[in-house]
Amino acid sequence: MASKQWNEPSGGKKAGFGKFTKLATAYDKFMEEEGIPVFRDLGVKNVRDLPLAPWKRTGGKGSYIQLYGTEGKWGCYVVEVPPAGALHPEKHMFEKIYLVVEGRGSTEVWLEGENKKHVFEWQKGSVFSIPMNAWHRIVNATNDSALLQAGTTAPVVINALQNVDSVFNNPYVFHDRFSSADDFYKEHDEIEPDPVRGLAMRRTNFLPDAINCELPLDNRRSPGYRRVEPFMTQNTFYYWIGQHENGRYSKAHAHTSAAILICLKGKGYTYTWPEHLGPTPWEDGHGDQVRRLDYEPGGMVTAAPGGARWYHQHFSVSKEPFRLTAWFGPHNPGRDPGPPGEKHTDYTAIDLPEGGTAIPYWMEDPYLRKEYKKTLEREGVENRMQDELYQSPTEK
């Protein structure tokens, strides 16, 4: 039991406990008070398997998800919409995107005091965004339950304001994030370079089918890798959709926490380990500190669970391509530390010998190639990792 009176240290001793227990944030307390489960771990093989409890505020059943490394950065949950029913209308002072895990239905979106109401239909694999503080209502169109997964910036807002009522009962209307135009929730498929790194981006508030939509060629993670960044309702919530070809896997690369990978199609596994263990953890006797998660459509894994930079590497093991969506919350490369105008590099796409954090195949731990080959043999999938991918520049 700590004393309630602070005493100045003497004899060269340091102030404080030295070791301490992390306190619950305002957002942690908010989740607990909602009365539904809070899932915390490295990941989950399939969010369909999470326990759901009646959720009074929303009118459905739900479970919060707070994977390691995302604490205080952004929030996530799954919500079940009752058969032929609807969730309660709500609005809030944080951003939100939805991914439809199962089901078919519609969403209504409108602004306080305005008559214009957008109504659009969604299905399994649809992704859409709710503008900041806009009223919205989720409606289930079938006689079966619908399951939606949401990503939000709620932790940032609730932890800053320390007042839940100000978040859910704020009268301010964000006209700059909402439009009454009929095409506001119409899919837009034009590709343009994002303003930060020049990667493929789509300005659209609605994706009817993120599971099967066309993705531009990217090649940064693995041979034939495809990727696009949807930009929705002027959000700071950053995410992208990427796809590895079957029989291939990504280079390991390191960055700090925030990113969560969600499987949309195919199946695979992810390895993650602290950057200080180096590019060959098994060879160096640290294999016991490497963490692995296998997942399928509906599964998710944290890329960097420990706060500092972690390596992570994703392996496609299905006969179809391995498609993932990565959610970062309000943490995209344009918000890296540094003053405006400072030059940054796309370090996760640049190999270690060139100053980046990506481990080229020829430098990776031999364990990975051997294990991947055996895994594909068990799955009956052709191994398309050609020998030349593992040759160093001096060998080519």
Side-chain angles (χ1 to χ4, degrees), residues 100-391:
V100 181
V101 180
E102 288 289 351
R104 183 169 53 84
S106 63
T107 296
E108 304 164 356
V109 185
W110 69 99
L111 291 184
E112 183 80 47
E114 296 194 3
N115 295 325
K116 177 67 176 181
K117 180 181 288 188
H118 290 290
V119 181
F120 58 93
E121 296 181 350
W122 42 260
Q123 62 182 354
K124 179 180 178 180
S126 294
V127 180
F128 55 93
S129 174
I130 304 299
M132 181 82 82
N133 216 30
W135 282 102
H136 53 284
R137 179 172 177 258
I138 308 295
V139 181
N140 186 351
T142 73
N143 291 323
D144 295 317
S145 298
L147 187 68
L148 283 74
Q149 184 169 355
T152 79
T153 59
V156 177
V157 178
I158 292 176
N159 287 341
L161 297 180
Q162 302 278 309
N163 185 291
V164 173
D165 187 61
S166 68
V167 174
F168 288 94
N169 295 296
N170 194 307
Y172 189 82
V173 177
F174 289 83
H175 292 284
D176 56 331
R177 295 196 178 203
F178 185 92
S179 171
S180 59
D182 291 338
D183 66 348
F184 188 66
Y185 277 107
K186 179 183 177 182
E187 180 186 21
H188 297 279
D189 55 11
E190 297 83 3
I191 302 295
E192 62 180 277
D194 85 82
V196 178
R197 292 185 291 176
L199 304 177
M201 184 180 80
R202 289 174 61 180
R203 294 181 184 271
T204 183
N205 300 328
F206 177 60
L207 281 175
D209 187 1
I211 299 173
N212 299 300
C213 67
E214 289 293 326
L215 300 177
L217 187 64
D218 182 282
N219 278 338
R220 290 178 314 130
R221 293 283 178 257
S222 61
Y225 178 67
R226 294 180 173 273
R227 179 187 183 280
V228 74
E229 299 175 8
F231 180 62
M232 296 182 158
T233 61
Q234 302 297 318
N235 275 353
T236 62
F237 195 104
Y238 175 70
Y239 80 104
W240 48 256
I241 301 167
Q243 179 172 289
H244 300 281
E245 294 185 349
N246 62 313
R248 284 178 168 162
Y249 64 88
S250 77
K251 297 178 182 178
H253 52 284
H255 57 66
T256 54
S257 59
I260 296 295
L261 284 302
I262 302 171
C263 182
L264 296 174
K265 180 167 64 176
K267 66 178 182 178
Y269 58 92
T270 289
Y271 274 123
T272 184
W273 66 94
E275 187 181 32
H276 68 80
L277 296 184
T280 54
W282 287 273
E283 195 171 56
D284 297 334
H286 304 306
D288 60 326
Q289 297 183 56
V290 181
R291 304 192 64 177
R292 169 175 170 159
L293 187 93
D294 293 72
Y295 51 135
E296 58 194 18
M300 57 192 297
V301 62
T302 182
R309 296 207 310 197
W310 283 56
Y311 281 117
H312 39 279
Q313 193 164 9
H314 318 299
F315 298 80
S316 169
V317 300
S318 52
K319 295 181 179 179
E320 60 182 339
F322 187 38
R323 181 169 292 207
L324 304 166
T325 178
W327 293 8
F328 292 72
H331 306 277
N332 71 37
R335 295 185 180 86
D336 284 342
E342 184 176 81
K343 297 297 183 182
H344 280 217
T345 59
D346 190 7
Y347 63 89
T348 64
I350 298 174
D351 288 349
L352 283 172
E354 285 76 50
T357 67
I359 304 174
Y361 296 120
W362 60 271
M363 285 184 66
E364 73 179 15
D365 198 302
Y367 173 85
L368 294 167
R369 184 181 182 185
K370 294 177 182 178
E371 182 198 47
Y372 188 64
K373 180 181 178 181
K374 292 179 180 179
T375 302
L376 293 187
E377 289 174 352
R378 290 197 303 269
E379 296 290 337
V381 177
E382 177 188 1
N383 189 341
R384 301 176 60 230
M385 296 295 292
Q386 299 92 335
D387 290 340
E388 54 264 30
L389 292 173
Y390 300 92
Q391 294 177 351

Side-chain angles (χ1 to χ4, degrees), residues 8-14:
E8 186 172 296
S10 61
K13 295 181 179 179
K14 298 177 181 178

